[in-house]
Amino acid sequence: MILDIEKLSVKYKGAAEEAVKELSLSLPENSFSALIGESGSGKSTVLMTLLGLLPNGSEARGEILYRGEKILNSGEEKLSGLRQREIALIPQGALNSFTPVMTIGRHLRELLEIHLNISGAEAEKRIKELLAEAELPPETAGRYPHELSGGQKQRAAIALALSCDPKLVLADEPTTALDVVTQAAVIRLMQRLRREKNLTILLVTHDLPLAASACDQLFVMKNGRLIESGAPKTLITSPREPHTKALIAAML
């Protein structure tokens, strides 16, 4: 397993109750899994906890093991060394990946310089490779985020996430606000990159049909709890929980 989460509970400062409650799950290496639930179910909180990016004053207990190493509450120095190089985030809303006054190329160049100490001609070569991997033309490097279509922005966000060759990619609603055709194209891109780069991907989404069409295993959350999990075919044909049944009924 590349990731093991054991009895994770998270509470935000001033909150009346926990946002995540006793959650346990494991991700096999090179798997494509989905964490599914409605807004407020705690999905994004799980991702922020994995990255050590919870707001000040938040409390997290339980255990998170990345490749067998404990990382929960392990300190900013250790976690900052894992971010981008080992665990990368595709944030919700592609524009959240970008500074509007910086070109796509400059975004990529800064990540390569900061995390991998790559600059000059080597960085320019790597930028072209990253854009090609994300199915974007080389001239995308000179364009600003607002000059890209929704699908192009999402592909550029994926290129940013993969810039330092992470092993685990956390994708927070990466297809939100995209049309159905572009959603499918983005998911196919993620599937291809997972195969070619041996990635492990955890997709966070409220879209059960999308997750079922793409993923190896599904985890269903409600009110901060993991209520059901399994392979897509098993979960859809033989759901146990009323909430899962309601999600399935909504897709028919």
Side-chain angles (χ1 to χ4, degrees):
M1 296 294 171
I2 191 170
L3 182 72
D4 284 296
I5 302 176
E6 301 173 5
K7 295 184 178 180
L8 175 67
S9 295
V10 181
K11 187 176 182 181
Y12 291 109
K13 183 178 181 179
E17 61 179 76
E18 293 171 326
V20 176
K21 305 166 185 174
E22 298 284 315
L23 180 140
S24 297
L25 63 83
S26 297
L27 300 183
E29 197 150 9
N30 198 29
S31 62
F32 196 157
S33 305
L35 197 56
I36 304 163
E38 58 198 1
S39 179
S41 61
K43 310 183 301 298
S44 295
T45 297
V46 174
L47 297 195
M48 293 302 103
T49 307
L50 288 172
L51 291 162
L53 296 177
L54 290 171
N56 290 336
S58 303
E59 299 177 5
R61 56 183 175 82
E63 199 64 81
I64 299 175
L65 288 85
Y66 174 72
R67 292 187 156 185
E69 185 176 359
K70 296 180 180 181
I71 63 171
L72 182 63
N73 300 322
S74 59
E76 176 59 20
E77 183 177 354
K78 182 174 183 177
L79 289 169
S80 63
L82 291 175
R83 289 189 211 116
Q84 202 68 30
R85 283 177 285 185
E86 290 286 334
I87 306 173
L89 173 69
I90 304 171
Q92 185 172 2
L95 276 177
N96 291 329
S97 297
F98 305 108
T99 300
V101 296
M102 289 170 55
T103 64
I104 302 302
R106 183 177 170 189
H107 281 88
L108 289 166
R109 196 174 298 110
E110 286 196 354
L111 283 174
L112 293 171
E113 289 176 356
I114 291 169
H115 293 285
L116 300 180
N117 197 29
I118 294 174
S119 59
E122 186 180 359
E124 297 309 311
K125 179 183 176 183
R126 181 62 180 140
I127 288 168
K128 289 180 181 179
E129 292 172 349
L130 288 165
L131 293 174
E133 288 174 356
E135 299 173 0
L136 289 168
E139 56 267 26
T140 306
R143 299 175 69 182
Y144 291 90
H146 71 272
E147 296 178 312
L148 305 181
S149 68
Q152 289 171 330
K153 280 195 283 282
Q154 195 58 64
R155 287 180 175 86
I158 291 170
L160 283 180
L162 299 184
S163 60
C164 300
D165 289 322
K167 304 300 181 292
L168 173 61
V169 175
L170 311 175
D172 193 0
E173 301 276 9
T175 59
T176 297
L178 300 178
D179 62 74
V180 175
V181 173
T182 307
Q183 285 182 3
V186 168
I187 290 297
R188 285 196 301 270
L189 170 62
M190 293 174 66
Q191 290 175 313
R192 177 178 64 77
L193 290 170
R194 180 192 64 135
R195 292 191 301 269
E196 293 178 356
K197 301 174 80 66
N198 295 317
L199 299 172
T200 303
I201 300 176
L202 179 59
L203 170 70
V204 160
T205 183
H206 63 276
D207 192 332
L208 177 57
L210 181 76
S213 70
C215 297
D216 309 315
Q217 58 180 344
L218 307 178
F219 301 96
V220 182
M221 289 188 71
K222 182 182 181 183
N223 297 330
R225 296 188 184 277
L226 181 63
I227 60 170
E228 193 161 4
S229 63
K233 184 176 180 180
T234 302
L235 202 67
I236 289 173
T237 58
S238 305
R240 299 188 312 271
E241 294 292 328
H243 182 65
T244 309
K245 294 177 182 177
L247 290 174
I248 294 168
M251 63 184 276
L252 300 177

